[in-house]
Amino acid sequence: AMETFDRMESLKVAPNARTYTALIRGLGENRRTDEALMLFREMRAKVEPDSRAFESIISACARAGRVEDAFRTFQQLQEWEATSCSIVTHNSLIHACGQSGNVER
């Protein structure tokens, strides 16, 4: 997936929010959280993320037990999106807390 993503840029095909989100999700599913977070930062500099992108990075953090990163991203989502967050976002946060043993939060 990373090679395909890199090839897109060399072909001057600009990745969009869906492209970034798919790769972030894949990195998260494979517990490559640092790479997912770096890609998310890159995404935010180049294209506007949608709520799915935020949900994907929160889920990646949850899988890795990185609850503080998950909540930091959630805070960014709340600042970015004036409307309420989806049930998927809240489920991802609950999962992050459970993964980290922080069930009270």
Short mmCIF file of all heavy atoms in Angstrom, two decimals, residues 8-57:
data_model
loop_
_atom_site.label_atom_id
_atom_site.label_comp_id
_atom_site.label_asym_id
_atom_site.label_seq_id
_atom_site.Cartn_x
_atom_site.Cartn_y
_atom_site.Cartn_z
N MET A 8 1.72 7.07 -6.61
CA MET A 8 0.72 8.08 -7.00
C MET A 8 1.37 9.46 -7.07
O MET A 8 1.16 10.19 -8.04
CB MET A 8 -0.43 8.13 -5.97
CG MET A 8 -1.40 7.00 -6.05
SD MET A 8 -2.64 7.12 -4.74
CE MET A 8 -3.52 8.60 -5.22
N GLU A 9 2.13 9.78 -6.05
CA GLU A 9 2.76 11.09 -6.02
C GLU A 9 3.76 11.25 -7.15
O GLU A 9 3.86 12.31 -7.76
CB GLU A 9 3.40 11.34 -4.66
CG GLU A 9 2.36 11.51 -3.56
CD GLU A 9 2.94 11.91 -2.23
OE1 GLU A 9 4.12 11.63 -1.97
OE2 GLU A 9 2.18 12.50 -1.45
N SER A 10 4.52 10.19 -7.46
CA SER A 10 5.50 10.28 -8.56
C SER A 10 4.80 10.42 -9.91
O SER A 10 5.37 10.97 -10.85
CB SER A 10 6.44 9.08 -8.55
OG SER A 10 5.76 7.91 -8.94
N LEU A 11 3.55 9.92 -10.00
CA LEU A 11 2.76 10.06 -11.24
C LEU A 11 1.96 11.36 -11.27
O LEU A 11 1.15 11.57 -12.16
CB LEU A 11 1.83 8.86 -11.39
CG LEU A 11 2.50 7.51 -11.60
CD1 LEU A 11 1.47 6.39 -11.52
CD2 LEU A 11 3.23 7.48 -12.94
N LYS A 12 2.18 12.17 -10.24
CA LYS A 12 1.47 13.45 -10.10
C LYS A 12 -0.04 13.27 -9.95
O LYS A 12 -0.83 14.08 -10.42
CB LYS A 12 1.82 14.39 -11.24
CG LYS A 12 3.33 14.63 -11.36
CD LYS A 12 3.64 15.97 -11.90
CE LYS A 12 5.11 16.21 -12.14
NZ LYS A 12 6.04 15.94 -11.12
N VAL A 13 -0.41 12.18 -9.31
CA VAL A 13 -1.80 11.93 -8.95
C VAL A 13 -1.90 12.27 -7.46
O VAL A 13 -1.34 11.56 -6.62
CB VAL A 13 -2.21 10.46 -9.20
CG1 VAL A 13 -3.63 10.22 -8.73
CG2 VAL A 13 -2.04 10.10 -10.66
N ALA A 14 -2.58 13.35 -7.17
CA ALA A 14 -2.64 13.82 -5.79
C ALA A 14 -3.58 12.95 -4.96
O ALA A 14 -4.75 12.77 -5.33
CB ALA A 14 -3.11 15.26 -5.75
N PRO A 15 -3.09 12.41 -3.85
CA PRO A 15 -3.98 11.65 -2.97
C PRO A 15 -5.06 12.56 -2.39
O PRO A 15 -4.80 13.72 -2.11
CB PRO A 15 -3.05 11.15 -1.86
CG PRO A 15 -1.67 11.46 -2.29
CD PRO A 15 -1.74 12.50 -3.35
N ASN A 16 -6.26 12.02 -2.24
CA ASN A 16 -7.33 12.79 -1.62
C ASN A 16 -7.58 12.25 -0.21
O ASN A 16 -6.86 11.37 0.26
CB ASN A 16 -8.60 12.76 -2.49
CG ASN A 16 -9.15 11.37 -2.69
OD1 ASN A 16 -8.84 10.44 -1.94
ND2 ASN A 16 -9.98 11.20 -3.71
N ALA A 17 -8.60 12.77 0.44
CA ALA A 17 -8.89 12.37 1.82
C ALA A 17 -9.15 10.86 1.92
O ALA A 17 -8.69 10.21 2.87
CB ALA A 17 -10.07 13.15 2.37
N ARG A 18 -9.83 10.29 0.95
CA ARG A 18 -10.12 8.85 0.98
C ARG A 18 -8.85 8.02 0.85
O ARG A 18 -8.70 6.98 1.49
CB ARG A 18 -11.10 8.47 -0.11
CG ARG A 18 -12.49 8.88 0.21
CD ARG A 18 -13.46 8.34 -0.80
NE ARG A 18 -14.75 8.28 -0.15
CZ ARG A 18 -15.74 7.54 -0.55
NH1 ARG A 18 -15.59 6.77 -1.61
NH2 ARG A 18 -16.88 7.55 0.08
N THR A 19 -7.93 8.48 0.01
CA THR A 19 -6.67 7.78 -0.17
C THR A 19 -5.89 7.75 1.14
O THR A 19 -5.43 6.70 1.59
CB THR A 19 -5.81 8.47 -1.26
OG1 THR A 19 -6.59 8.68 -2.43
CG2 THR A 19 -4.58 7.65 -1.59
N TYR A 20 -5.74 8.93 1.74
CA TYR A 20 -5.03 9.01 3.02
C TYR A 20 -5.72 8.15 4.08
O TYR A 20 -5.07 7.42 4.82
CB TYR A 20 -4.98 10.46 3.51
CG TYR A 20 -3.86 11.27 2.91
CD1 TYR A 20 -4.11 12.17 1.88
CD2 TYR A 20 -2.56 11.16 3.37
CE1 TYR A 20 -3.10 12.94 1.34
CE2 TYR A 20 -1.53 11.92 2.83
CZ TYR A 20 -1.81 12.80 1.81
OH TYR A 20 -0.80 13.57 1.27
N THR A 21 -7.03 8.25 4.16
CA THR A 21 -7.77 7.51 5.17
C THR A 21 -7.59 6.00 5.02
O THR A 21 -7.40 5.29 6.01
CB THR A 21 -9.27 7.88 5.13
OG1 THR A 21 -9.38 9.29 5.38
CG2 THR A 21 -10.07 7.12 6.17
N ALA A 22 -7.62 5.52 3.79
CA ALA A 22 -7.43 4.09 3.56
C ALA A 22 -6.06 3.63 4.04
O ALA A 22 -5.93 2.58 4.68
CB ALA A 22 -7.60 3.77 2.07
N LEU A 23 -5.05 4.43 3.77
CA LEU A 23 -3.70 4.06 4.19
C LEU A 23 -3.55 4.19 5.70
O LEU A 23 -2.94 3.32 6.35
CB LEU A 23 -2.67 4.93 3.47
CG LEU A 23 -1.21 4.53 3.64
CD1 LEU A 23 -0.98 3.05 3.35
CD2 LEU A 23 -0.34 5.38 2.73
N ILE A 24 -4.12 5.22 6.29
CA ILE A 24 -4.08 5.38 7.75
C ILE A 24 -4.76 4.19 8.42
O ILE A 24 -4.25 3.63 9.39
CB ILE A 24 -4.74 6.71 8.17
CG1 ILE A 24 -3.84 7.89 7.76
CG2 ILE A 24 -5.04 6.74 9.67
CD1 ILE A 24 -4.52 9.24 7.83
N ARG A 25 -5.90 3.79 7.89
CA ARG A 25 -6.62 2.65 8.45
C ARG A 25 -5.77 1.38 8.35
O ARG A 25 -5.67 0.61 9.30
CB ARG A 25 -7.96 2.45 7.74
CG ARG A 25 -8.72 1.25 8.29
CD ARG A 25 -10.14 1.22 7.81
NE ARG A 25 -10.84 2.30 8.50
CZ ARG A 25 -11.79 3.04 7.95
NH1 ARG A 25 -12.19 2.83 6.73
NH2 ARG A 25 -12.37 4.00 8.63
N GLY A 26 -5.15 1.16 7.20
CA GLY A 26 -4.30 -0.02 7.02
C GLY A 26 -3.11 -0.03 7.97
O GLY A 26 -2.78 -1.07 8.56
N LEU A 27 -2.47 1.12 8.12
CA LEU A 27 -1.36 1.20 9.06
C LEU A 27 -1.82 0.92 10.48
O LEU A 27 -1.16 0.19 11.23
CB LEU A 27 -0.70 2.59 8.97
CG LEU A 27 0.08 2.89 7.69
CD1 LEU A 27 0.41 4.37 7.59
CD2 LEU A 27 1.34 2.03 7.61
N GLY A 28 -2.97 1.48 10.84
CA GLY A 28 -3.50 1.25 12.18
C GLY A 28 -3.84 -0.20 12.44
O GLY A 28 -3.57 -0.74 13.51
N GLU A 29 -4.43 -0.85 11.44
CA GLU A 29 -4.80 -2.26 11.59
C GLU A 29 -3.56 -3.15 11.76
O GLU A 29 -3.65 -4.24 12.33
CB GLU A 29 -5.63 -2.73 10.40
CG GLU A 29 -7.03 -2.16 10.42
CD GLU A 29 -7.82 -2.44 9.16
OE1 GLU A 29 -7.28 -3.04 8.20
OE2 GLU A 29 -9.01 -2.05 9.13
N ASN A 30 -2.42 -2.66 11.27
CA ASN A 30 -1.18 -3.41 11.40
C ASN A 30 -0.29 -2.86 12.51
O ASN A 30 0.91 -3.16 12.54
CB ASN A 30 -0.44 -3.41 10.05
CG ASN A 30 -1.14 -4.31 9.07
OD1 ASN A 30 -1.01 -5.51 9.14
ND2 ASN A 30 -1.91 -3.72 8.16
N ARG A 31 -0.90 -2.08 13.39
CA ARG A 31 -0.23 -1.51 14.57
C ARG A 31 1.02 -0.71 14.23
O ARG A 31 1.98 -0.67 14.99
CB ARG A 31 0.08 -2.59 15.59
CG ARG A 31 -1.17 -3.24 16.14
CD ARG A 31 -0.88 -4.20 17.27
NE ARG A 31 -2.09 -4.87 17.68
CZ ARG A 31 -2.84 -4.48 18.70
NH1 ARG A 31 -2.52 -3.43 19.39
NH2 ARG A 31 -3.93 -5.17 19.02
N ARG A 32 0.95 -0.03 13.12
CA ARG A 32 2.03 0.88 12.72
C ARG A 32 1.56 2.30 13.02
O ARG A 32 1.42 3.15 12.16
CB ARG A 32 2.38 0.66 11.25
CG ARG A 32 2.98 -0.73 11.03
CD ARG A 32 3.12 -1.13 9.60
NE ARG A 32 4.01 -0.25 8.84
CZ ARG A 32 4.37 -0.49 7.58
NH1 ARG A 32 3.94 -1.59 6.97
NH2 ARG A 32 5.15 0.35 6.95
N THR A 33 1.32 2.54 14.31
CA THR A 33 0.66 3.75 14.79
C THR A 33 1.48 5.00 14.53
O THR A 33 0.93 6.03 14.14
CB THR A 33 0.32 3.61 16.28
OG1 THR A 33 -0.31 2.35 16.49
CG2 THR A 33 -0.60 4.71 16.75
N ASP A 34 2.77 4.93 14.78
CA ASP A 34 3.60 6.12 14.55
C ASP A 34 3.53 6.56 13.09
O ASP A 34 3.41 7.75 12.80
CB ASP A 34 5.05 5.87 14.96
CG ASP A 34 5.22 5.79 16.47
OD1 ASP A 34 4.43 6.45 17.19
OD2 ASP A 34 6.13 5.08 16.92
N GLU A 35 3.58 5.60 12.18
CA GLU A 35 3.48 5.91 10.76
C GLU A 35 2.09 6.48 10.42
O GLU A 35 1.97 7.41 9.63
CB GLU A 35 3.74 4.68 9.90
CG GLU A 35 5.19 4.21 9.95
CD GLU A 35 5.35 2.89 9.24
OE1 GLU A 35 5.51 2.89 8.01
OE2 GLU A 35 5.32 1.84 9.94
N ALA A 36 1.06 5.92 11.04
CA ALA A 36 -0.30 6.41 10.81
C ALA A 36 -0.43 7.85 11.30
O ALA A 36 -1.02 8.69 10.61
CB ALA A 36 -1.32 5.51 11.52
N LEU A 37 0.13 8.15 12.46
CA LEU A 37 0.08 9.52 12.99
C LEU A 37 0.86 10.49 12.10
O LEU A 37 0.40 11.60 11.84
CB LEU A 37 0.61 9.56 14.42
CG LEU A 37 -0.33 8.98 15.48
CD1 LEU A 37 0.42 8.70 16.77
CD2 LEU A 37 -1.50 9.93 15.72
N MET A 38 2.02 10.07 11.61
CA MET A 38 2.80 10.93 10.71
C MET A 38 2.04 11.18 9.41
O MET A 38 2.00 12.31 8.91
CB MET A 38 4.16 10.29 10.41
CG MET A 38 5.11 10.39 11.58
SD MET A 38 6.82 9.78 11.33
CE MET A 38 6.85 9.06 9.74
N LEU A 39 1.41 10.14 8.88
CA LEU A 39 0.64 10.29 7.65
C LEU A 39 -0.58 11.19 7.88
O LEU A 39 -0.93 12.00 7.02
CB LEU A 39 0.21 8.92 7.12
CG LEU A 39 -0.44 8.93 5.74
CD1 LEU A 39 0.55 9.42 4.68
CD2 LEU A 39 -0.93 7.53 5.38
N PHE A 40 -1.19 11.08 9.04
CA PHE A 40 -2.33 11.93 9.37
C PHE A 40 -1.90 13.40 9.40
O PHE A 40 -2.60 14.27 8.89
CB PHE A 40 -2.94 11.51 10.70
CG PHE A 40 -4.18 12.26 11.07
CD1 PHE A 40 -5.36 12.11 10.35
CD2 PHE A 40 -4.18 13.13 12.15
CE1 PHE A 40 -6.51 12.82 10.69
CE2 PHE A 40 -5.32 13.83 12.50
CZ PHE A 40 -6.48 13.68 11.76
N ARG A 41 -0.73 13.67 10.00
CA ARG A 41 -0.21 15.05 10.01
C ARG A 41 0.05 15.54 8.59
O ARG A 41 -0.27 16.68 8.24
CB ARG A 41 1.05 15.13 10.86
CG ARG A 41 0.78 15.15 12.35
CD ARG A 41 2.01 15.48 13.15
NE ARG A 41 2.99 14.42 13.17
CZ ARG A 41 2.97 13.37 13.99
NH1 ARG A 41 2.00 13.26 14.88
NH2 ARG A 41 3.91 12.46 13.95
N GLU A 42 0.64 14.66 7.77
CA GLU A 42 0.87 15.03 6.37
C GLU A 42 -0.45 15.32 5.66
O GLU A 42 -0.57 16.30 4.92
CB GLU A 42 1.60 13.89 5.65
CG GLU A 42 1.83 14.15 4.18
CD GLU A 42 2.45 12.97 3.46
OE1 GLU A 42 3.33 12.29 4.03
OE2 GLU A 42 2.04 12.70 2.31
N MET A 43 -1.42 14.47 5.92
CA MET A 43 -2.74 14.66 5.30
C MET A 43 -3.31 16.02 5.65
O MET A 43 -3.79 16.75 4.77
CB MET A 43 -3.69 13.56 5.78
CG MET A 43 -5.11 13.73 5.31
SD MET A 43 -6.18 12.55 6.15
CE MET A 43 -7.67 12.76 5.23
N ARG A 44 -3.26 16.38 6.92
CA ARG A 44 -3.84 17.65 7.37
C ARG A 44 -3.14 18.84 6.72
O ARG A 44 -3.75 19.89 6.55
CB ARG A 44 -3.79 17.74 8.88
CG ARG A 44 -4.74 16.72 9.52
CD ARG A 44 -4.92 16.91 10.96
NE ARG A 44 -5.73 18.11 11.16
CZ ARG A 44 -5.90 18.69 12.32
NH1 ARG A 44 -5.33 18.22 13.38
NH2 ARG A 44 -6.65 19.76 12.43
N ALA A 45 -1.89 18.68 6.35
CA ALA A 45 -1.16 19.77 5.69
C ALA A 45 -1.53 19.88 4.21
O ALA A 45 -1.36 20.95 3.62
CB ALA A 45 0.35 19.55 5.84
N LYS A 46 -2.02 18.79 3.62
CA LYS A 46 -2.26 18.77 2.17
C LYS A 46 -3.74 18.78 1.78
O LYS A 46 -4.11 19.38 0.77
CB LYS A 46 -1.58 17.56 1.55
CG LYS A 46 -0.07 17.64 1.64
CD LYS A 46 0.58 16.47 0.96
CE LYS A 46 2.09 16.60 1.01
NZ LYS A 46 2.76 15.52 0.29
N VAL A 47 -4.57 18.06 2.50
CA VAL A 47 -6.00 17.99 2.19
C VAL A 47 -6.79 18.07 3.49
O VAL A 47 -6.27 17.78 4.56
CB VAL A 47 -6.39 16.68 1.43
CG1 VAL A 47 -5.66 16.57 0.12
CG2 VAL A 47 -6.16 15.45 2.28
N GLU A 48 -8.04 18.43 3.36
CA GLU A 48 -8.89 18.52 4.55
C GLU A 48 -9.41 17.13 4.92
O GLU A 48 -10.09 16.49 4.11
CB GLU A 48 -10.06 19.47 4.31
CG GLU A 48 -10.86 19.71 5.56
CD GLU A 48 -11.87 20.83 5.37
OE1 GLU A 48 -11.60 21.75 4.59
OE2 GLU A 48 -12.92 20.76 6.02
N PRO A 49 -9.09 16.67 6.11
CA PRO A 49 -9.59 15.35 6.52
C PRO A 49 -11.09 15.39 6.79
O PRO A 49 -11.63 16.43 7.16
CB PRO A 49 -8.82 15.05 7.80
CG PRO A 49 -8.44 16.39 8.33
CD PRO A 49 -8.30 17.30 7.15
N ASP A 50 -11.73 14.26 6.60
CA ASP A 50 -13.15 14.17 6.96
C ASP A 50 -13.24 13.38 8.26
O ASP A 50 -12.23 12.96 8.83
CB ASP A 50 -13.97 13.53 5.84
CG ASP A 50 -13.49 12.15 5.45
OD1 ASP A 50 -12.68 11.53 6.20
OD2 ASP A 50 -13.92 11.65 4.40
N SER A 51 -14.46 13.20 8.74
CA SER A 51 -14.62 12.52 10.02
C SER A 51 -14.11 11.08 9.97
O SER A 51 -13.62 10.55 10.97
CB SER A 51 -16.08 12.56 10.47
OG SER A 51 -16.91 11.94 9.52
N ARG A 52 -14.17 10.45 8.80
CA ARG A 52 -13.65 9.07 8.67
C ARG A 52 -12.15 9.02 8.93
O ARG A 52 -11.64 8.06 9.50
CB ARG A 52 -13.97 8.50 7.30
CG ARG A 52 -15.41 8.15 7.10
CD ARG A 52 -15.60 7.48 5.74
NE ARG A 52 -16.99 7.53 5.37
CZ ARG A 52 -17.50 8.32 4.44
NH1 ARG A 52 -16.73 9.14 3.76
NH2 ARG A 52 -18.78 8.31 4.17
N ALA A 53 -11.44 10.04 8.49
CA ALA A 53 -10.00 10.09 8.72
C ALA A 53 -9.71 10.19 10.22
O ALA A 53 -8.83 9.49 10.74
CB ALA A 53 -9.38 11.27 7.98
N PHE A 54 -10.46 11.05 10.89
CA PHE A 54 -10.28 11.18 12.34
C PHE A 54 -10.62 9.86 13.04
O PHE A 54 -9.91 9.43 13.95
CB PHE A 54 -11.15 12.31 12.89
CG PHE A 54 -10.57 13.68 12.69
CD1 PHE A 54 -10.94 14.44 11.60
CD2 PHE A 54 -9.66 14.21 13.59
CE1 PHE A 54 -10.42 15.72 11.41
CE2 PHE A 54 -9.13 15.48 13.41
CZ PHE A 54 -9.51 16.24 12.31
N GLU A 55 -11.71 9.23 12.62
CA GLU A 55 -12.09 7.95 13.23
C GLU A 55 -11.02 6.90 13.00
O GLU A 55 -10.72 6.09 13.89
CB GLU A 55 -13.43 7.50 12.67
CG GLU A 55 -14.58 8.37 13.14
CD GLU A 55 -15.83 8.25 12.30
OE1 GLU A 55 -15.86 7.46 11.33
OE2 GLU A 55 -16.81 8.96 12.60
N SER A 56 -10.41 6.91 11.82
CA SER A 56 -9.37 5.92 11.51
C SER A 56 -8.14 6.11 12.39
O SER A 56 -7.56 5.14 12.88
CB SER A 56 -8.96 6.01 10.04
OG SER A 56 -10.04 5.64 9.22
N ILE A 57 -7.73 7.35 12.62
CA ILE A 57 -6.54 7.57 13.44
C ILE A 57 -6.85 7.32 14.91
O ILE A 57 -6.03 6.80 15.65
CB ILE A 57 -5.92 8.97 13.19
CG1 ILE A 57 -4.49 9.02 13.72
CG2 ILE A 57 -6.74 10.08 13.75
CD1 ILE A 57 -3.52 8.10 13.04
#
